[in-house]
Amino acid sequence: MLNPPNRTLVRALAPLALMGVIFYLSAQPAAAHHAWWVIVVRKLGHVTGYALLTALWAWALQGVVQRPVLIAVCIALAYACTDEYHQTFVRGRNGSPIDVGIDAIGMAIAAYLVSRKPQRP
């Protein structure tokens, strides 16, 4: 069994890996034009990816900090901002505060779901 500090480091691997995937995907050059449904799917990807990132950080920080969900949202928000900045250096891509807002929707959904108290029967 892992002691708490080692458990936290192992748990942190999941959100860090997802951050790597997000970075890789955002480093891909964009095509010139997309159909409307491709844009919708990509924006849903933003919501889903950042919801998962927030939930994974909350899980990794559980028992380590007093407000793991708040810290998880802060980490995810900071990463969303830096990721959009990173995209300004990728051919055909641009950073967008609107995308950060879309990412924040995913963060809010995850924060709500993770913070809910379990219902007793």
Side-chain angles (χ1 to χ4, degrees), residues 11 15 51-65 67-73 75 110-111 114-115:
R11 283 185 172 190
L52 183 57
L53 183 61
T54 302
L56 286 173
W57 273 119
W59 172 70
L61 296 170
Q62 190 69 39
V64 178
V65 297
R67 301 190 66 184
V69 176
L70 177 62
I71 301 300
V73 168
I75 292 170
V114 171
S115 297

Side-chain angles (χ1 to χ4, degrees), residues 2-104:
L2 295 172
N3 61 27
N6 288 340
R7 184 191 71 200
T8 302
L9 289 175
V10 169
R11 283 185 172 190
L13 292 176
L16 289 171
L18 180 55
M19 291 167 91
V21 169
I22 291 169
F23 183 88
Y24 172 78
L25 292 173
S26 69
Q28 303 307 306
H33 298 286
H34 294 294
W36 67 268
W37 60 270
V38 172
I39 294 169
V40 170
V41 169
R42 291 180 100 178
K43 299 311 175 189
L44 287 173
H46 275 260
V47 171
T48 304
Y50 279 90
L52 183 57
L53 183 61
T54 302
L56 286 173
W57 273 119
W59 172 70
L61 296 170
Q62 190 69 39
V64 178
V65 297
Q66 285 203 302
R67 301 190 66 184
V69 176
L70 177 62
I71 301 300
V73 168
C74 290
I75 292 170
L77 182 60
Y79 193 70
C81 292
T82 60
D83 185 56
E84 289 302 316
Y85 178 68
H86 159 249
Q87 287 182 41
T88 65
F89 299 101
V90 178
R91 184 174 33 88
R93 303 287 296 263
N94 60 341
S96 168
I98 292 171
D99 280 349
V100 174
I102 293 169
D103 299 339

